[in-house]
Amino acid sequence: RSGDTFTKLADPATLPTGNSQGCAFDSTGTYLAVTYGLSPYITIYKRSGDTFTKLADPATLPTGDGRGCAFDPTGTYLAVAHHNSPYITIYKQSGDTFTKLADPSTLPTGNSQGCAFDPTGTYLAVAHSDSPYITIYKRSGDTFTKLADPATLPTGNSQGCAFDSTGTYLAVTYGLSPYITIYKRSGDTFTKL
């Protein structure tokens, strides 16, 4: 970008292998993750100037169609929402290496479509296809523990989610009316507005 003009960069030398579904930059703009529908389901690039170079694949890959991804604000954690159990794969970054963490003890209940960290990196929300449609984790160190479900859930297959910049509000989109649910967080409790 230069002002209001966006000029296409040269393609990376190594491209994703399938239909791309999501992408996310880390907070420094150094790393770009791309999710897609064919193995390895995730490609991570490192930026140097205007050049994006593919890193080695993580040793443990997502188990299915990569749908969405999110870095935490520190760039330490990368979450990948995907089809097939465990539905969410979380990596911890050290330099250019992304190492899969142990799965949360409670997993999303269906194919995950999107995920989002709050601005502190404490909460991770995962939007997925089966009730309760949204699963929210609280991070302590490298452990992600599922919180109690909100009292009022989305009404259908959730497609995406996002926190506001303060971490107070969480929006969830899905395929049935009212199509969007907005929660307000107080401590570890998310209450539908």
Side-chain angles (χ1 to χ4, degrees):
R1 182 183 67 82
S2 176
D4 292 341
T5 301
F6 288 77
T7 303
K8 182 188 178 300
L9 299 179
D11 292 338
T14 304
L15 298 173
T17 60
N19 221 11
S20 295
Q21 310 284 342
C23 59
F25 276 101
D26 81 317
S27 59
T28 70
T30 304
Y31 297 94
L32 170 64
V34 182
T35 56
Y36 46 92
L38 297 174
S39 183
Y41 306 115
I42 181 86
T43 292
I44 305 166
Y45 297 98
K46 185 174 184 179
R47 182 185 61 80
S48 176
D50 290 342
T51 300
F52 289 78
T53 303
K54 181 186 179 298
L55 298 180
D57 292 336
T60 304
L61 297 172
T63 55
D65 182 1
R67 302 293 292 192
C69 55
F71 282 94
D72 84 305
T74 68
T76 305
Y77 301 96
L78 170 63
V80 180
H82 55 84
H83 289 191
N84 301 335
S85 183
Y87 305 114
I88 188 76
T89 296
I90 306 167
Y91 297 98
K92 186 172 185 178
Q93 180 190 4
S94 177
D96 292 344
T97 301
F98 289 78
T99 303
K100 182 186 179 298
L101 297 180
D103 293 334
S105 58
T106 303
L107 299 175
T109 56
N111 290 334
S112 293
Q113 310 288 348
C115 57
F117 279 99
D118 84 310
T120 69
T122 304
Y123 298 96
L124 171 64
V126 183
H128 50 85
S129 60
D130 296 323
S131 183
Y133 306 113
I134 187 75
T135 296
I136 306 166
Y137 296 98
K138 185 174 184 179
R139 183 183 63 79
S140 177
D142 292 343
T143 301
F144 289 77
T145 302
K146 182 186 180 296
L147 297 179
D149 293 334
T152 304
L153 299 173
T155 60
N157 179 0
S158 293
Q159 300 294 318
C161 54
F163 282 94
D164 82 304
S165 61
T166 69
T168 305
Y169 300 96
L170 170 65
V172 183
T173 61
Y174 45 92
L176 298 174
S177 181
Y179 308 111
I180 187 160
T181 293
I182 305 165
Y183 297 98
K184 185 173 185 178
R185 183 181 66 80
S186 177
D188 292 343
T189 301
F190 289 76
T191 302
K192 181 185 180 297
L193 298 181

PDB file of all heavy atoms in Angstrom, residues 58-83:
ATOM      1  N   PRO A  58       4.634 -27.055   9.924  1.00  0.00           N
ATOM      2  CA  PRO A  58       4.718 -27.577  11.288  1.00  0.00           C
ATOM      3  C   PRO A  58       4.810 -29.099  11.265  1.00  0.00           C
ATOM      4  O   PRO A  58       4.274 -29.758  10.358  1.00  0.00           O
ATOM      5  CB  PRO A  58       3.402 -27.113  11.924  1.00  0.00           C
ATOM      6  CG  PRO A  58       2.981 -25.925  11.116  1.00  0.00           C
ATOM      7  CD  PRO A  58       3.438 -26.223   9.715  1.00  0.00           C
ATOM      8  N   ALA A  59       5.471 -29.660  12.256  1.00  0.00           N
ATOM      9  CA  ALA A  59       5.638 -31.124  12.314  1.00  0.00           C
ATOM     10  C   ALA A  59       4.292 -31.828  12.425  1.00  0.00           C
ATOM     11  O   ALA A  59       4.110 -32.923  11.886  1.00  0.00           O
ATOM     12  CB  ALA A  59       6.535 -31.499  13.490  1.00  0.00           C
ATOM     13  N   THR A  60       3.351 -31.216  13.116  1.00  0.00           N
ATOM     14  CA  THR A  60       1.999 -31.760  13.245  1.00  0.00           C
ATOM     15  C   THR A  60       1.044 -30.797  12.562  1.00  0.00           C
ATOM     16  O   THR A  60       0.976 -29.622  12.927  1.00  0.00           O
ATOM     17  CB  THR A  60       1.602 -31.945  14.721  1.00  0.00           C
ATOM     18  OG1 THR A  60       2.576 -32.767  15.360  1.00  0.00           O
ATOM     19  CG2 THR A  60       0.231 -32.580  14.845  1.00  0.00           C
ATOM     20  N   LEU A  61       0.312 -31.296  11.582  1.00  0.00           N
ATOM     21  CA  LEU A  61      -0.567 -30.449  10.769  1.00  0.00           C
ATOM     22  C   LEU A  61      -2.012 -30.536  11.255  1.00  0.00           C
ATOM     23  O   LEU A  61      -2.395 -31.499  11.938  1.00  0.00           O
ATOM     24  CB  LEU A  61      -0.501 -30.896   9.310  1.00  0.00           C
ATOM     25  CG  LEU A  61       0.863 -30.761   8.636  1.00  0.00           C
ATOM     26  CD1 LEU A  61       0.841 -31.413   7.261  1.00  0.00           C
ATOM     27  CD2 LEU A  61       1.258 -29.287   8.532  1.00  0.00           C
ATOM     28  N   PRO A  62      -2.843 -29.543  10.882  1.00  0.00           N
ATOM     29  CA  PRO A  62      -4.284 -29.701  11.112  1.00  0.00           C
ATOM     30  C   PRO A  62      -4.770 -30.979  10.431  1.00  0.00           C
ATOM     31  O   PRO A  62      -4.155 -31.456   9.462  1.00  0.00           O
ATOM     32  CB  PRO A  62      -4.880 -28.456  10.448  1.00  0.00           C
ATOM     33  CG  PRO A  62      -3.763 -27.455  10.450  1.00  0.00           C
ATOM     34  CD  PRO A  62      -2.511 -28.261  10.251  1.00  0.00           C
ATOM     35  N   THR A  63      -5.883 -31.525  10.909  1.00  0.00           N
ATOM     36  CA  THR A  63      -6.367 -32.821  10.431  1.00  0.00           C
ATOM     37  C   THR A  63      -7.368 -32.715   9.285  1.00  0.00           C
ATOM     38  O   THR A  63      -7.857 -33.731   8.808  1.00  0.00           O
ATOM     39  CB  THR A  63      -7.023 -33.582  11.588  1.00  0.00           C
ATOM     40  OG1 THR A  63      -8.039 -32.738  12.143  1.00  0.00           O
ATOM     41  CG2 THR A  63      -6.002 -33.929  12.655  1.00  0.00           C
ATOM     42  N   GLY A  64      -7.678 -31.499   8.869  1.00  0.00           N
ATOM     43  CA  GLY A  64      -8.642 -31.349   7.784  1.00  0.00           C
ATOM     44  C   GLY A  64      -8.665 -29.939   7.254  1.00  0.00           C
ATOM     45  O   GLY A  64      -7.863 -29.089   7.654  1.00  0.00           O
ATOM     46  N   ASP A  65      -9.590 -29.704   6.358  1.00  0.00           N
ATOM     47  CA  ASP A  65      -9.813 -28.454   5.644  1.00  0.00           C
ATOM     48  C   ASP A  65      -9.620 -27.247   6.565  1.00  0.00           C
ATOM     49  O   ASP A  65     -10.411 -27.015   7.476  1.00  0.00           O
ATOM     50  CB  ASP A  65     -11.244 -28.516   5.111  1.00  0.00           C
ATOM     51  CG  ASP A  65     -11.660 -27.326   4.283  1.00  0.00           C
ATOM     52  OD1 ASP A  65     -10.834 -26.421   4.073  1.00  0.00           O
ATOM     53  OD2 ASP A  65     -12.819 -27.306   3.835  1.00  0.00           O
ATOM     54  N   GLY A  66      -8.546 -26.480   6.345  1.00  0.00           N
ATOM     55  CA  GLY A  66      -8.285 -25.290   7.147  1.00  0.00           C
ATOM     56  C   GLY A  66      -9.235 -24.173   6.768  1.00  0.00           C
ATOM     57  O   GLY A  66      -9.322 -23.792   5.599  1.00  0.00           O
ATOM     58  N   ARG A  67      -9.965 -23.639   7.736  1.00  0.00           N
ATOM     59  CA  ARG A  67     -10.997 -22.642   7.441  1.00  0.00           C
ATOM     60  C   ARG A  67     -10.639 -21.235   7.899  1.00  0.00           C
ATOM     61  O   ARG A  67     -10.985 -20.267   7.256  1.00  0.00           O
ATOM     62  CB  ARG A  67     -12.319 -23.068   8.099  1.00  0.00           C
ATOM     63  CG  ARG A  67     -12.810 -24.423   7.666  1.00  0.00           C
ATOM     64  CD  ARG A  67     -13.212 -24.451   6.236  1.00  0.00           C
ATOM     65  NE  ARG A  67     -14.401 -23.646   6.036  1.00  0.00           N
ATOM     66  CZ  ARG A  67     -15.134 -23.641   4.939  1.00  0.00           C
ATOM     67  NH1 ARG A  67     -14.811 -24.396   3.930  1.00  0.00           N
ATOM     68  NH2 ARG A  67     -16.188 -22.872   4.854  1.00  0.00           N
ATOM     69  N   GLY A  68      -9.993 -21.110   9.026  1.00  0.00           N
ATOM     70  CA  GLY A  68      -9.650 -19.799   9.542  1.00  0.00           C
ATOM     71  C   GLY A  68      -8.468 -19.904  10.479  1.00  0.00           C
ATOM     72  O   GLY A  68      -8.113 -21.001  10.917  1.00  0.00           O
ATOM     73  N   CYS A  69      -7.845 -18.771  10.771  1.00  0.00           N
ATOM     74  CA  CYS A  69      -6.697 -18.792  11.664  1.00  0.00           C
ATOM     75  C   CYS A  69      -6.565 -17.438  12.338  1.00  0.00           C
ATOM     76  O   CYS A  69      -7.102 -16.438  11.850  1.00  0.00           O
ATOM     77  CB  CYS A  69      -5.412 -19.162  10.925  1.00  0.00           C
ATOM     78  SG  CYS A  69      -5.022 -18.118   9.504  1.00  0.00           S
ATOM     79  N   ALA A  70      -5.857 -17.438  13.457  1.00  0.00           N
ATOM     80  CA  ALA A  70      -5.668 -16.195  14.203  1.00  0.00           C
ATOM     81  C   ALA A  70      -4.394 -16.293  15.023  1.00  0.00           C
ATOM     82  O   ALA A  70      -4.120 -17.330  15.643  1.00  0.00           O
ATOM     83  CB  ALA A  70      -6.852 -15.937  15.124  1.00  0.00           C
ATOM     84  N   PHE A  71      -3.607 -15.218  15.009  1.00  0.00           N
ATOM     85  CA  PHE A  71      -2.475 -15.075  15.915  1.00  0.00           C
ATOM     86  C   PHE A  71      -2.956 -14.364  17.177  1.00  0.00           C
ATOM     87  O   PHE A  71      -3.822 -13.484  17.106  1.00  0.00           O
ATOM     88  CB  PHE A  71      -1.377 -14.221  15.286  1.00  0.00           C
ATOM     89  CG  PHE A  71      -0.526 -14.919  14.267  1.00  0.00           C
ATOM     90  CD1 PHE A  71      -0.830 -14.841  12.919  1.00  0.00           C
ATOM     91  CD2 PHE A  71       0.599 -15.634  14.646  1.00  0.00           C
ATOM     92  CE1 PHE A  71      -0.028 -15.464  11.968  1.00  0.00           C
ATOM     93  CE2 PHE A  71       1.404 -16.255  13.717  1.00  0.00           C
ATOM     94  CZ  PHE A  71       1.094 -16.174  12.367  1.00  0.00           C
ATOM     95  N   ASP A  72      -2.354 -14.702  18.318  1.00  0.00           N
ATOM     96  CA  ASP A  72      -2.611 -13.899  19.506  1.00  0.00           C
ATOM     97  C   ASP A  72      -1.829 -12.600  19.357  1.00  0.00           C
ATOM     98  O   ASP A  72      -0.958 -12.486  18.489  1.00  0.00           O
ATOM     99  CB  ASP A  72      -2.240 -14.667  20.787  1.00  0.00           C
ATOM    100  CG  ASP A  72      -0.774 -14.568  21.120  1.00  0.00           C
ATOM    101  OD1 ASP A  72       0.064 -14.914  20.258  1.00  0.00           O
ATOM    102  OD2 ASP A  72      -0.449 -14.145  22.240  1.00  0.00           O
ATOM    103  N   PRO A  73      -2.123 -11.579  20.172  1.00  0.00           N
ATOM    104  CA  PRO A  73      -1.487 -10.273  19.973  1.00  0.00           C
ATOM    105  C   PRO A  73       0.028 -10.261  20.136  1.00  0.00           C
ATOM    106  O   PRO A  73       0.694  -9.381  19.595  1.00  0.00           O
ATOM    107  CB  PRO A  73      -2.149  -9.386  21.032  1.00  0.00           C
ATOM    108  CG  PRO A  73      -3.413 -10.073  21.383  1.00  0.00           C
ATOM    109  CD  PRO A  73      -3.156 -11.526  21.201  1.00  0.00           C
ATOM    110  N   THR A  74       0.571 -11.225  20.864  1.00  0.00           N
ATOM    111  CA  THR A  74       2.023 -11.258  21.061  1.00  0.00           C
ATOM    112  C   THR A  74       2.730 -12.011  19.942  1.00  0.00           C
ATOM    113  O   THR A  74       3.957 -11.993  19.861  1.00  0.00           O
ATOM    114  CB  THR A  74       2.387 -11.924  22.398  1.00  0.00           C
ATOM    115  OG1 THR A  74       2.065 -13.326  22.333  1.00  0.00           O
ATOM    116  CG2 THR A  74       1.656 -11.270  23.557  1.00  0.00           C
ATOM    117  N   GLY A  75       1.963 -12.711  19.094  1.00  0.00           N
ATOM    118  CA  GLY A  75       2.564 -13.532  18.049  1.00  0.00           C
ATOM    119  C   GLY A  75       3.112 -14.839  18.571  1.00  0.00           C
ATOM    120  O   GLY A  75       3.794 -15.562  17.849  1.00  0.00           O
ATOM    121  N   THR A  76       2.804 -15.178  19.818  1.00  0.00           N
ATOM    122  CA  THR A  76       3.301 -16.423  20.409  1.00  0.00           C
ATOM    123  C   THR A  76       2.462 -17.616  19.984  1.00  0.00           C
ATOM    124  O   THR A  76       2.976 -18.721  19.824  1.00  0.00           O
ATOM    125  CB  THR A  76       3.299 -16.313  21.950  1.00  0.00           C
ATOM    126  OG1 THR A  76       4.046 -15.160  22.327  1.00  0.00           O
ATOM    127  CG2 THR A  76       3.908 -17.542  22.603  1.00  0.00           C
ATOM    128  N   TYR A  77       1.171 -17.407  19.806  1.00  0.00           N
ATOM    129  CA  TYR A  77       0.248 -18.507  19.527  1.00  0.00           C
ATOM    130  C   TYR A  77      -0.451 -18.278  18.187  1.00  0.00           C
ATOM    131  O   TYR A  77      -0.816 -17.155  17.845  1.00  0.00           O
ATOM    132  CB  TYR A  77      -0.797 -18.644  20.633  1.00  0.00           C
ATOM    133  CG  TYR A  77      -0.170 -18.899  21.981  1.00  0.00           C
ATOM    134  CD1 TYR A  77       0.058 -17.851  22.863  1.00  0.00           C
ATOM    135  CD2 TYR A  77       0.231 -20.175  22.361  1.00  0.00           C
ATOM    136  CE1 TYR A  77       0.662 -18.076  24.095  1.00  0.00           C
ATOM    137  CE2 TYR A  77       0.833 -20.404  23.591  1.00  0.00           C
ATOM    138  CZ  TYR A  77       1.050 -19.349  24.455  1.00  0.00           C
ATOM    139  OH  TYR A  77       1.655 -19.568  25.666  1.00  0.00           O
ATOM    140  N   LEU A  78      -0.637 -19.372  17.448  1.00  0.00           N
ATOM    141  CA  LEU A  78      -1.385 -19.370  16.196  1.00  0.00           C
ATOM    142  C   LEU A  78      -2.442 -20.454  16.307  1.00  0.00           C
ATOM    143  O   LEU A  78      -2.110 -21.632  16.492  1.00  0.00           O
ATOM    144  CB  LEU A  78      -0.468 -19.645  15.008  1.00  0.00           C
ATOM    145  CG  LEU A  78      -1.164 -19.906  13.669  1.00  0.00           C
ATOM    146  CD1 LEU A  78      -1.954 -18.697  13.190  1.00  0.00           C
ATOM    147  CD2 LEU A  78      -0.138 -20.336  12.607  1.00  0.00           C
ATOM    148  N   ALA A  79      -3.714 -20.067  16.225  1.00  0.00           N
ATOM    149  CA  ALA A  79      -4.817 -21.021  16.262  1.00  0.00           C
ATOM    150  C   ALA A  79      -5.328 -21.242  14.846  1.00  0.00           C
ATOM    151  O   ALA A  79      -5.451 -20.285  14.069  1.00  0.00           O
ATOM    152  CB  ALA A  79      -5.937 -20.501  17.158  1.00  0.00           C
ATOM    153  N   VAL A  80      -5.621 -22.493  14.514  1.00  0.00           N
ATOM    154  CA  VAL A  80      -6.145 -22.850  13.200  1.00  0.00           C
ATOM    155  C   VAL A  80      -7.471 -23.585  13.389  1.00  0.00           C
ATOM    156  O   VAL A  80      -7.521 -24.639  14.044  1.00  0.00           O
ATOM    157  CB  VAL A  80      -5.153 -23.736  12.414  1.00  0.00           C
ATOM    158  CG1 VAL A  80      -5.728 -24.080  11.040  1.00  0.00           C
ATOM    159  CG2 VAL A  80      -3.804 -23.048  12.289  1.00  0.00           C
ATOM    160  N   ALA A  81      -8.539 -23.016  12.845  1.00  0.00           N
ATOM    161  CA  ALA A  81      -9.858 -23.653  12.857  1.00  0.00           C
ATOM    162  C   ALA A  81      -9.965 -24.530  11.618  1.00  0.00           C
ATOM    163  O   ALA A  81      -9.659 -24.084  10.514  1.00  0.00           O
ATOM    164  CB  ALA A  81     -10.949 -22.585  12.871  1.00  0.00           C
ATOM    165  N   HIS A  82     -10.403 -25.778  11.815  1.00  0.00           N
ATOM    166  CA  HIS A  82     -10.425 -26.702  10.676  1.00  0.00           C
ATOM    167  C   HIS A  82     -11.506 -27.756  10.843  1.00  0.00           C
ATOM    168  O   HIS A  82     -12.101 -27.911  11.911  1.00  0.00           O
ATOM    169  CB  HIS A  82      -9.049 -27.357  10.493  1.00  0.00           C
ATOM    170  CG  HIS A  82      -8.519 -28.061  11.708  1.00  0.00           C
ATOM    171  ND1 HIS A  82      -8.863 -29.345  12.037  1.00  0.00           N
ATOM    172  CD2 HIS A  82      -7.662 -27.637  12.673  1.00  0.00           C
ATOM    173  CE1 HIS A  82      -8.240 -29.702  13.139  1.00  0.00           C
ATOM    174  NE2 HIS A  82      -7.508 -28.674  13.563  1.00  0.00           N
ATOM    175  N   HIS A  83     -11.744 -28.487   9.768  1.00  0.00           N
ATOM    176  CA  HIS A  83     -12.648 -29.620   9.794  1.00  0.00           C
ATOM    177  C   HIS A  83     -11.900 -30.820  10.363  1.00  0.00           C
ATOM    178  O   HIS A  83     -10.672 -30.870  10.322  1.00  0.00           O
ATOM    179  CB  HIS A  83     -13.156 -29.930   8.394  1.00  0.00           C
ATOM    180  CG  HIS A  83     -14.112 -28.907   7.870  1.00  0.00           C
ATOM    181  ND1 HIS A  83     -14.854 -29.088   6.732  1.00  0.00           N
ATOM    182  CD2 HIS A  83     -14.464 -27.677   8.332  1.00  0.00           C
ATOM    183  CE1 HIS A  83     -15.612 -28.029   6.507  1.00  0.00           C
ATOM    184  NE2 HIS A  83     -15.381 -27.156   7.459  1.00  0.00           N
TER     185      HIS A  83
END
